[in-house]
């Protein structure tokens, strides 16, 4: 929760921050000294509102509108980070019809699971099978720079899903010959 976090790199407390992370594992033998299983799961939900260009940078600027080519305005912009922020917001609004000065929310939804099964078929043959799953949806994670506008952030595509299935057969053929057969699929 935001009350349990430190300030951001600008010295401001986090706003609208919430992170929930939970999961668990279970494992053990199915048949003593013969078959074993293991399963793990983890889930992460996170939400954070970033103010970015919606708040002043340093000392607030003494004016909110600027005229291109006006020497006094250009000197004011050159000498103040916050005047630069306002001039940039004005430029995007006037020339691109974009409102870059709005806060945005960064959402994270990640899930992962792992299942593993080991079977001692005979003293000379062991089979191992595993399956892993990862789903990751991260909205507005492109940049974490407080001086970027809204359009610099966005959904990094649809949720990514990674799945991998692996089967291994380990066989002792003779006292000095060992064979490993791997069958991966992802």
């Amino acid at each position: 929760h935001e009350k349990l976090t430190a300030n951001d790199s600008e010295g401001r407390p986090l706003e609208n921050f919430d992170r929930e992370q939970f999961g668990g594992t279970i494992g053990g033998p199915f048949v003593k000294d013969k078959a074993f299983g293991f399963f793990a799961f983890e889930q992460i939900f996170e939400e954070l509102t970033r103010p970015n260009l919606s708040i002043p940078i340093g000392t607030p600027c003494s004016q909110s509108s600027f005229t291109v080519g006006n020497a006094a305005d250009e000197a004011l912009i050159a000498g103040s980070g916050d005047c630069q922020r306002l001039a940039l917001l004005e430029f995007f609004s006037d020339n691109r019809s974009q409102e870059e000065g709005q806060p945005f929310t960064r959402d994270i939804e990640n899930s992962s699971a792992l299942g593993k099964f080991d079977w001692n078929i005979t003293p000379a043959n062991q089979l191992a099978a595993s399956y892993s799953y990862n789903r990751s949806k991260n909205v507005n994670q492109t940049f974490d720079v407080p001086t970027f506008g809204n359009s610099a952030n966005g959904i990094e595509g649809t949720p990514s899903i990674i799945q991998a299935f692996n089967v291994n057969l380990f066989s002792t053929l003779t006292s000095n010959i060992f064979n490993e057969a791997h069958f991966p699929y992802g």
Side-chain angles (χ1 to χ4, degrees):
H1 192 270
E2 62 195 42
K3 290 182 172 119
L4 300 174
T5 63
N7 290 343
D8 67 12
S9 60
E10 306 296 318
R12 295 181 302 256
L14 295 179
E15 295 180 25
N16 299 326
F17 173 73
D18 187 42
R19 179 182 172 103
E20 298 162 3
Q21 181 174 355
F22 56 91
T25 61
I26 188 168
F30 293 120
V31 178
K32 185 177 180 183
D33 297 329
K34 202 78 165 147
F36 311 87
F38 176 80
F39 179 75
F41 176 77
E42 180 178 36
Q43 180 76 53
I44 299 172
F45 295 112
E46 181 176 310
E47 184 176 289
L48 169 65
T49 299
R50 295 287 299 203
N52 279 21
L53 293 175
S54 67
I55 61 172
I57 298 173
T59 304
C61 186
S62 59
Q63 69 187 60
S64 60
S65 182
F66 305 94
T67 303
V68 176
N70 180 310
D73 283 355
E74 289 182 9
L76 187 60
I77 291 169
S80 166
D82 196 49
C83 290
Q84 292 169 17
R85 173 186 72 91
L86 293 175
L88 178 66
L89 293 176
E90 184 177 11
F91 170 81
F92 276 111
S93 178
D94 294 348
N95 296 295
R96 303 283 190 269
S97 298
Q98 290 175 222
E99 294 302 321
E100 292 292 306
Q102 302 300 314
F104 62 90
T105 301
R106 296 173 59 180
D107 291 315
I108 294 174
E109 294 177 18
N110 294 339
S111 305
S112 60
L114 170 70
K116 185 160 181 1
F117 176 75
D118 292 312
W119 179 27
N120 293 328
I121 302 167
T122 67
N125 296 289
Q126 291 82 38
L127 180 73
S130 65
Y131 171 75
S132 65
Y133 171 87
N134 185 293
R135 180 185 183 277
S136 181
K137 181 178 180 185
N138 300 317
V139 179
N140 290 328
Q141 302 292 314
T142 305
F143 297 104
D144 193 14
V145 179
T147 54
F148 281 7
N150 297 6
S151 63
N153 291 278
I155 298 173
E156 286 67 39
T158 57
S160 66
I161 297 176
I162 300 170
Q163 300 181 74
F165 183 69
N166 195 19
V167 176
N168 300 310
L169 178 62
F170 306 99
S171 300
T172 304
L173 303 176
T174 67
S175 62
N176 60 354
I177 298 176
F178 182 78
N179 184 59
E180 292 184 27
H182 301 281
F183 305 97
Y185 179 77

